[in-house]
Amino acid sequence: MTHRIKSFEDYQTLYDRSVADPEGFWAEQASTFQWRKTWDRVLDWNFEGPDVKWFVGGKLNITENCLDRHLETRGDQVAILWEPNDPTESPISYTYRELYHAVCRMANVLKSRGIQKGDRVCLYMPMVPELAIAVLACARVGAIHSVVFAGFSSKALADRINDATCKMVICSDGNFRGSKVIPVKDIVDEALKTCPTIETNLVLKRTGQEVAWHADQDVWLHEAYQGVSDECPAEEMDAEDMLFILYTSGSTGKPKGVVHTCGGYMVYTEFSFKNVFQYDEGDVYWCTADIGWITGHSYIVYGPLLAGATTMMFEGVPTYPDAGRFWQICEKHKVNQFYTAPTAIRALEAKGLEYVKPYDLGSLKVLGSVGEPINEEAWHWYDDNIGAKGLPIVDTWWQTETGGIMISPLAGITPLKPCHATLPLPGIQPVIVDAEGNEVEGNDVEGLLCVKFPWPSMLRTTYGDHERCKNVYFSAFPGKYFTGDGVRRDEVGNYRIIGRVDDVINVSGHRIGTAEVENAIDEHPNVVESAVVGYPHDIKGQGIYAYIICQQHPSDMETLRAEILSIVTKVIGPIAKPDKIQLVNGLPKTRSGKIMRRILRKIADGTSDKLGDTSTLLDPSVVDEIRDGVLI
Ligand code: PRX
């Protein structure tokens, strides 16, 4: 097991060591895993390529580290504890031994359907144990998983399948989400009409609803299991072989396939999981994220299983059957570490304390937050009512691209400061730069957040387009990884993340590219042009505000609004629906035709009295018109 930090002094010593001798430090952590062959060199890197390789020449399979190596010591310990959407349905648990066999069985199914090392497999599934099993089964056979959050539309799913030229999809018939039943298979069927590379669609029966069947492609998972062995030797992988692709939004219209590799990701997710959450033997750890996002990859599946933890998966939503569900589950399963998103905290806070009070939260030891800056009010509500003012809250800053938690308190060790992610983990070297790229040193400063030295779980490329990876993350400030976030460092060196400085909106902790939403809205036949910005939203953190120009004045605003929402749902998914839509005659543009989003953002957040210099606009009068306009 990697080093478990026990005190703040220990943290400081380890941090200093990790900067003075990164290779020695990470070699020591990595040596605690099971490698088929030890690496020849710890690190090769340059950020110009970028070309980053950790544990060069090392051979391993990450599932041997998640599963096989635990069998002797913790074979009968619960690995995955699953709580269904419906509280009257029984939870299911898998011990490490059961999980091992389940993964082997699924791995053999993949192999029997022609999946080989290097093939891409898309997972579009509800939060059921089979999703975690499918993730691990891919890793076992060396296939690259691309999990797509099951709230994305068929068009968004098809785009992701095609970008990665996936050979197989694994889905379910349907998905129970709160009181709704989502027709997952129908969505996949629609997507597959435009996905020529898919050979097999493996379907898990979850809801039992009627589904259309395409015998040339569709295979029921329970039928595929027939006669399949529950032992499957793991494929030997190079440390730098791809482990997975995960799509995330950026400033341009097309989502990027962020690529993570086997060795470094393994070492960093285990190390960060253990140290941030201070997981102790026998604890029950619960991260409420969906495996469709990076948080679920790193801190529901890989990190906890690598550390031999008991990790809980929840199928449902925080408000079903009522807003007490999270706390009811914490009581029922005696959860020790609870990790959620500020948007969920705010939504539950709004429902009132009567949903918290009935439950005994005495088992909780650590609370976590992720996905967006946590505001002061939510932090205190969490602290007062869930933590009874006595628990550490780890505000964990990181990104899909970073693979693991970068800046965060270590629970019970790092002194807390509300709304601050506090200090970098060992091995992480953040720097603040100004707009010109000069490093801003010292404390009590603000600027753009970069990282100046590689860490094991950083992204290696964007799938199929390395140039894009270079341009987005490594070109703005040569020699540094640019996060896209603004940050403040306080008088004593604590980091506070301010938020995105690019055209990415963070809605309920999920990244949505403004250009993606604009492209979707522009598909409406009457929309000539649109511009989308984020604005402060009480529950979601940021809401989506769309300004649209129509070709002909719409006769019925209600219908137009409904049509736009429906198009966005169809092209991206319900998470990207604009909260506010305003019809305008023109957009504020520079003489070179660039939309001045800064101005639109100020109008959207109600601070249009502070617009600053508008003299570079082609037609400054549009600003007054937009400011005086009304929503549809
Ligand atoms: O803006 C930061 C915000 O979420 C972005 C990363 O989004 P994503 O790749 O979807 O990953 C989310 C889960 C790791 C960051 O650029 N963000 C994430 N965590 C925090 C945060 N902002 C402030 N505080 C955080 N703890």
Side-chain angles (χ1 to χ4, degrees):
M1 290 282 157
T2 51
H3 185 90
R4 161 77 181 260
I5 299 166
K6 297 236 162 50
S7 65
F8 194 60
E9 294 67 50
D10 190 13
Y11 159 75
Q12 285 170 318
T13 312
L14 209 66
Y15 186 82
D16 292 346
R17 156 115 213 275
S18 77
V19 173
D21 175 21
E23 297 191 23
F25 170 75
W26 286 116
E28 217 167 88
Q29 306 310 321
S31 65
T32 65
F33 293 85
Q34 192 172 308
W35 295 81
R36 297 261 185 106
K37 175 184 168 287
T38 312
W39 52 91
D40 303 315
R41 287 184 310 284
V42 177
L43 173 65
D44 280 352
W45 74 286
N46 70 71
F47 278 174
E48 287 76 53
D51 185 12
V52 175
K53 293 193 181 77
W54 281 92
F55 311 113
V56 187
K59 305 282 180 194
L60 75 154
N61 187 290
I62 195 168
T63 69
E64 289 185 333
N65 287 277
C66 289
L67 302 169
D68 308 44
R69 73 170 169 150
H70 297 315
L71 292 182
E72 218 170 280
T73 47
R74 54 180 87 247
D76 296 327
Q77 179 201 312
V78 174
I80 292 181
L81 177 57
W82 175 72
E83 172 69 23
N85 178 63
D86 180 345
T88 61
E89 196 183 333
S90 298
I92 292 177
S93 62
Y94 284 77
T95 63
Y96 271 91
R97 183 163 295 103
E98 288 164 343
L99 185 61
Y100 163 83
H101 287 302
V103 169
C104 285
R105 243 168 27 127
M106 177 92 81
N108 283 325
V109 168
L110 299 186
K111 287 213 280 199
S112 73
R113 302 282 156 180
I115 296 299
Q116 296 174 348
K117 179 173 175 173
D119 287 342
R120 275 81 55 213
V121 176
C122 176
L123 313 183
Y124 185 79
M125 296 176 79
M127 277 290 287
V128 289
E130 286 80 0
L131 171 52
I133 292 166
V135 161
L136 294 165
C138 287
R140 188 125 188 124
V141 303
I144 298 159
H145 54 79
S146 164
V147 185
V148 177
F149 172 60
F152 278 113
S153 69
S154 55
K155 164 96 174 43
L157 172 63
D159 289 347
R160 286 159 176 76
I161 290 174
N162 288 330
D163 188 76
T165 55
C166 294
K167 234 168 124 173
M168 180 189 266
V169 188
I170 309 180
C171 71
S172 62
D173 49 356
N175 178 359
F176 294 123
R177 252 184 103 66
S179 54
K180 293 193 210 129
V181 181
I182 318 270
V184 177
K185 171 98 173 24
D186 291 355
I187 297 169
V188 174
D189 284 348
E190 182 59 32
L192 294 191
K193 286 182 187 161
T194 58
C195 298
T197 57
I198 294 292
E199 293 170 8
T200 312
N201 178 14
L202 206 51
V203 187
L204 165 80
K205 188 171 266 192
R206 169 65 187 124
T207 57
Q209 69 201 96
E210 280 282 312
V211 289
W213 204 252
H214 305 97
D216 53 331
Q217 213 166 40
D218 298 344
V219 179
W220 282 113
L221 182 61
H222 59 269
E223 287 176 10
Y225 276 150
Q226 308 272 317
V228 165
S229 159
D230 63 3
E231 290 288 348
C232 177
E235 191 69 33
E236 182 168 289
M237 306 295 283
D238 190 273
E240 281 299 329
D241 278 339
M242 278 187 211
L243 175 62
F244 66 86
I245 305 169
L246 185 57
Y247 285 87
T248 187
S249 296
S251 307
T252 65
K254 197 169 161 269
K256 305 172 280 234
V258 169
V259 169
H260 286 287
T261 56
C262 297
Y265 180 83
M266 170 178 79
V267 174
Y268 195 77
T269 52
E270 194 259 9
F271 176 79
S272 52
F273 167 75
K274 243 175 44 182
N275 283 300
V276 169
F277 297 102
Q278 291 287 305
Y279 182 88
D280 286 320
E281 210 47 54
D283 284 349
V284 174
Y285 159 87
W286 181 22
C287 165
T288 68
D290 190 289
I291 294 176
W293 311 110
I294 191 69
T295 309
H297 283 61
S298 303
Y299 298 111
I300 295 178
V301 182
Y302 287 111
L305 294 177
L306 286 162
T310 296
T311 176
M312 195 160 80
M313 273 179 81
F314 173 44
E315 184 184 34
V317 297
T319 47
Y320 179 80
D322 64 39
R325 188 69 194 277
F326 272 3
W327 322 124
Q328 177 254 334
I329 295 174
C330 284
E331 177 185 277
K332 175 172 170 187
H333 295 293
K334 301 196 168 44
V335 171
N336 301 112
Q337 289 87 8
F338 176 75
Y339 188 29
T340 196
T343 186
I345 299 168
R346 288 189 298 263
L348 297 178
E349 175 186 355
K351 300 278 181 185
L353 279 178
E354 63 267 33
Y355 291 101
V356 183
K357 293 233 166 85
Y359 302 105
D360 176 1
L361 300 176
S363 58
L364 290 172
K365 300 198 287 191
V366 175
L367 303 177
S369 169
V370 61
E372 57 176 307
I374 179 165
N375 50 308
E376 197 91 25
E377 190 186 331
W379 197 98
H380 286 292
W381 186 86
Y382 203 22
D383 184 39
D384 291 348
N385 301 297
I386 308 305
K389 287 197 173 66
L391 299 185
I393 298 181
V394 291
D395 177 0
T396 63
W397 174 82
W398 58 298
Q399 309 179 295
T400 305
E401 294 85 347
T402 69
I405 296 169
M406 303 286 279
I407 304 182
S408 169
L410 309 181
I413 288 173
T414 312
L416 297 180
K417 181 168 179 189
C419 312
H420 286 66
T422 70
L423 300 174
L425 263 65
I428 306 304
Q429 301 188 35
V431 283
I432 300 182
V433 300
D434 64 19
E436 281 74 50
N438 305 310
E439 212 170 308
V440 182
E441 298 195 32
N443 288 337
D444 202 8
V445 291
E446 214 172 283
L448 303 169
L449 179 59
C450 292
V451 186
K452 68 175 180 193
F453 194 84
W455 64 101
S457 65
M458 68 186 293
L459 88 163
R460 300 300 195 263
T461 189
T462 44
Y463 192 78
D465 193 352
H466 194 62
E467 228 11 64
R468 190 168 176 202
C469 173
K470 178 177 172 159
N471 291 337
V472 175
Y473 306 106
F474 297 92
S475 297
F477 306 109
K480 297 182 181 73
Y481 165 80
F482 176 45
T483 64
D485 279 325
V487 70
R488 228 196 104 64
R489 191 162 51 215
D490 76 3
E491 319 70 50
V492 292
N494 284 311
Y495 289 86
R496 175 180 200 155
I497 309 300
I498 296 164
R500 304 287 309 186
V501 295
D502 54 8
D503 292 328
V504 171
I505 313 180
N506 193 327
V507 181
S508 302
H510 303 312
R511 265 157 73 168
I512 312 236
T514 52
E516 271 176 89
V517 184
E518 288 164 6
N519 291 347
I521 295 175
D522 294 351
E523 286 195 15
H524 189 284
N526 194 17
V527 173
V528 185
E529 195 178 8
S530 62
V532 164
V533 295
Y535 73 98
H537 186 287
D538 283 351
I539 304 286
K540 300 179 181 180
Q542 280 193 297
I544 301 180
Y545 196 124
Y547 299 88
I548 59 167
I549 302 176
C550 282
Q551 201 161 13
Q552 282 164 355
H553 192 77
S555 49
D556 176 2
M557 296 295 180
E558 253 323 294
T559 310
L560 176 68
R561 185 181 158 76
E563 285 169 352
I564 288 175
L565 296 187
S566 145
I567 286 177
V568 174
T569 304
K570 197 159 152 256
V571 175
I572 308 172
I575 44 171
K577 280 195 294 197
D579 301 275
K580 295 185 178 177
I581 303 175
Q582 184 179 344
L583 185 64
V584 297
N585 288 316
L587 292 166
K589 288 191 181 170
T590 61
R591 288 189 185 92
S592 60
K594 209 168 150 346
I595 296 173
M596 298 263 286
R597 283 165 199 284
R598 177 175 62 79
I599 291 178
L600 294 176
R601 274 195 289 265
K602 290 219 164 1
I603 296 174
D605 71 16
T607 54
S608 58
D609 51 322
K610 301 190 198 100
L611 284 185
D613 183 14
T614 55
S615 63
T616 54
L617 287 177
L618 189 61
D619 175 9
S621 71
V622 296
V623 175
D624 295 330
E625 188 228 328
I626 297 174
R627 193 167 25 199
D628 298 338
V630 287
L631 299 173
I632 65 171

